[in-house]
Amino acid sequence: MTLTPASATPATSPSPTAPEVSEASAGNPASAGAGANGTAPAPSPLTREELGRLYRRRLNKGRAVLGEMFGGHIETESLGAWVFTAEGRRFLNCGGYGVLLTGARHPTVVRYVSEQLNRHPVATRVFLEPQAALAAEALVEVSPPGLERVHFAGSGAEAVECAIKMARTQGRRHLVATVNGYHGKTMGALSLTGRDVFREPFRPLLPNVEHVPYGDATALEQVLLRHPGDCCVVVEPVQGEAGVVLPPDGYLTRVQELCRLHGAFFVLDEVQTGLGRLGAWWGADREGITPDALLVGKGLSGGIVPVSAVVATPAAFAVFDRDPYLHTSTFSGAPLAMAAARGALAALHEDGLVERARVLGDELLVGLGEIARGHYGDGLREVRGRGLLLGFEFARPGAAGDLLIELAEQGVIANHSLNSDHVLRLTPPAVLSRSDIGFLYEAFDRACGRQASAYAISSEGGTGHA
C-alpha cells in the first residue's frame, strides 16, 4: 500500500499534566530528515533489493513479504521514541511488543552497558561476578514482597521454561493456562500458549496441559478440584497477545486464593506487563498479590541487551539452591545483560517512568479512543488498556491489519496481536514528549480517516466501502 500523507486537523483530547522527562532522556529528534543525532541518516550497507533477496535466501521468505507490506523501509538507527530509516524517514515507535518503555538508547542504560562492555561483558561462570548480584538485588527491591530469589535468562520463553521446571521440583505436573494466553514458543512455553495455530505443527507438546477461559475463576477451580496438589497455574495480569484483555476486578486475588487452597503452584507471567508497562511496577500490584514465581522480561533489557528473569519465593527456589547445576544456561547472568537490567531499573526510578506510564496511558486511552470512534463508529468494537498497553478491537476482519499498515505510512509503528487479528495494539514508551504525543494524535487521525470508510457499519449492519 502506497499512500501520500495528508494533512489533518490535530485531534483534541484531554491533556493531564504528566511528569516530564528531559530531552536527553526522551531523545526527541530535531527533524524528520535527520538521523538519530540530527545529522544525516545512517546508511544501510545493502540496498532495499539486496536486503530483500538476502531475507528470502537466508532468513525467512514470509518475513521479507511482511517488510514489503510495511513499505520496505530499512531501519538503521533509533533514539528515544523514534526509529530512523536509511532513506531519511523517522517513525514514532509505539510498537516493540512491550520492550521499549524506557525508549531506545536511554542514556542511563547506555552508560551502564557501555561501562560493562569495555570492562567485562561475559563471565567465566566459575568465579562469582558482581553485576548479577547487583541486578538481582535491584530486581528484588521492586518485586512483590516475599519474592526473594532470582534466576536470570535471555528471553521470556526461557523464563517460562524455568518456571515450569521449578513447579516440577515442587511436584506440580499438571499445567493450567488460559485460552488465548501467550507465553512463548519454545516447546514447554508453547504448551502453555493458548492458540492452536502455533501449537499444531509441533505436537506432541508437553502432556497434562489444560486451558481455561481467562477471567473465569470458577473454571479454574474445577480443574484444581480434579487435580488437587498437582497443578501449576500460569496466567497473565493482562493478556497482551490476546488483544489487551483485562480480567474482572479481583480475578488475580481469586486465582491466588484457589492456588493456595488446592495446593497449586502459581506463576504470574509479567514478561510483557511488568516493570511499568501497566502504569504500576507489576500487574500484581493492582491486587497486592505474591505468586510463587513472577516472570520478567522485555523491559528488563532496557531495549539494549535481551534479558529475562524468574523472581521466586525461597520455597519455590529451594531445589535450585541445593544444586547450582540443575538448571543453567551459558549466557544466564552475563555481566553485559546484568548491566542492562541494572540500567533499565535505574532509568525507571530516575525518570519516574512507571508513574509517567500511568498518566500518559490514561490520556492516550481517552484521546486515541475518541479519534478512533469518531472515524469508525460502530466499526470499532472496543478501546481498552491499562497504562501504556492499549488495544483497539474492530468489528470487521482486516480492519486492524489495514490500520497497522496505514499507521506506518503516516509515520507510526504499532503492533498486531498474535492471538487476536481483530485487535491493533499500541505499546509506546513512557518517554513520549508533548510534541511526540501531538504527532501521534495527528498521524492516528490521518490513518483512521484513510481507512475507516472501508470498515464502517451501515444502519442495516453491512459494511460500507470507500
Side-chain angles (χ1 to χ4, degrees):
M1 177 184 296
T2 303
L3 296 175
T4 303
S7 60
T9 303
T12 57
S13 60
S15 297
T17 301
E20 285 295 342
V21 294
S22 67
E23 286 300 310
S25 295
N28 192 20
S31 66
N37 298 313
T39 58
S44 169
L46 299 168
T47 67
R48 182 179 297 184
E49 293 73 22
E50 290 168 339
L51 186 57
R53 282 198 298 270
L54 276 181
Y55 261 82
R56 283 178 164 81
R57 290 175 58 196
R58 304 295 184 225
L59 291 169
N60 187 296
K61 292 180 180 178
R63 183 65 185 82
V65 171
L66 280 175
E68 291 163 359
M69 284 176 58
F70 285 96
H73 303 291
I74 303 174
E75 59 182 87
T76 56
E77 290 185 82
S78 58
L79 182 66
W82 296 87
V83 170
F84 302 84
T85 65
E87 68 268 29
R89 285 201 64 182
R90 64 171 187 162
F91 294 82
L92 187 67
N93 190 3
C94 295
Y97 302 97
V99 169
L100 294 164
L101 194 77
T102 56
R105 293 167 53 200
H106 189 288
T108 297
V109 187
V110 169
R111 174 168 55 84
Y112 274 76
V113 172
S114 296
E115 290 175 358
Q116 194 61 39
L117 178 64
N118 291 316
R119 183 179 296 118
H120 185 50
V122 178
T124 66
R125 298 191 62 80
V126 174
F127 302 142
L128 300 182
E129 187 279 320
Q131 293 300 317
L134 290 169
E137 180 70 5
L139 185 55
V140 167
E141 285 179 353
V142 299
S143 295
L147 300 179
E148 302 174 3
R149 310 306 295 277
V150 181
H151 173 83
F152 286 109
S155 69
E158 288 179 74
V160 174
E161 298 286 347
C162 178
I164 292 172
K165 293 173 75 173
M166 201 174 283
R168 292 282 178 93
T169 70
Q170 303 289 316
R172 275 62 165 205
R173 304 180 185 281
H174 193 88
L175 299 175
V176 186
T178 59
V179 176
N180 285 331
Y182 186 86
H183 304 286
K185 291 174 181 166
T186 54
M187 292 298 278
L190 184 59
S191 302
L192 295 171
T193 291
R195 193 177 184 206
D196 283 342
V197 69
F198 299 123
R199 293 157 50 89
E200 287 300 333
F202 306 106
R203 293 186 184 278
L205 299 169
L206 291 183
N208 305 318
V209 180
E210 287 189 63
H211 290 85
V212 297
Y214 184 67
D216 188 340
T218 300
L220 173 61
E221 185 175 22
Q222 292 170 352
V223 175
L224 298 181
L225 284 168
R226 292 199 304 271
H227 304 277
D230 191 36
C231 288
C232 170
V233 176
V234 185
V235 299
E236 302 160 88
V238 174
Q239 285 189 317
E241 296 295 347
V244 192
V245 178
L246 280 62
D249 288 342
Y251 173 67
L252 295 180
T253 299
R254 183 56 178 158
V255 170
Q256 178 172 270
E257 290 172 349
L258 290 172
C259 287
R260 290 176 177 170
L261 180 64
H262 298 286
F265 190 86
F266 178 26
V267 178
L268 191 64
D269 185 342
E270 297 238 31
V271 168
Q272 182 167 168
T273 58
L275 295 178
R277 176 56 60 184
L278 300 182
W281 278 98
W282 311 100
D285 294 344
R286 184 177 175 86
E287 298 186 23
I289 65 168
T290 299
D292 295 294
L294 179 78
L295 309 186
V296 192
K298 296 190 183 291
L300 190 61
S301 69
I304 293 183
V305 182
V307 60
S308 64
V310 180
V311 193
T313 64
F317 202 85
V319 175
F320 291 0
D321 266 337
R322 292 196 292 271
D323 184 351
Y325 293 108
L326 189 64
H327 181 68
T328 61
S329 172
T330 300
F331 291 103
S332 171
L336 194 66
M338 298 299 92
R342 291 183 63 209
L345 291 165
L348 292 170
H349 282 295
E350 291 168 4
D351 288 348
L353 295 182
V354 175
E355 172 63 11
R356 185 175 173 82
R358 184 190 66 78
V359 174
L360 291 181
D362 288 347
E363 173 185 346
L364 293 177
L365 185 67
V366 174
L368 294 173
E370 288 179 353
I371 293 171
R373 290 188 187 94
H375 286 289
Y376 283 89
D378 290 341
L380 182 70
R381 184 172 292 157
E382 188 177 13
V383 178
R384 52 184 179 258
R386 186 165 291 160
L388 290 174
L389 178 59
L390 309 173
F392 301 79
E393 182 174 355
F394 295 91
R396 300 292 185 183
D402 281 349
L403 183 57
L404 183 70
I405 295 171
E406 185 61 45
L407 278 169
E409 288 283 342
Q410 302 300 332
V412 174
I413 299 170
N415 296 142
H416 64 290
S417 296
L418 285 175
N419 288 352
S420 179
D421 56 11
H422 281 57
V423 178
L424 173 85
R425 280 189 300 158
L426 294 179
T427 54
V431 299
L432 292 177
S433 68
R434 297 313 309 179
S435 62
D436 296 339
I437 294 169
F439 179 95
L440 174 59
Y441 284 145
E442 293 182 19
F444 194 75
D445 189 30
R446 288 195 300 270
C448 289
R450 287 178 173 268
Q451 289 295 321
S453 61
Y455 295 98
I457 296 178
S458 68
S459 59
E460 290 78 25
T463 304
H465 297 277

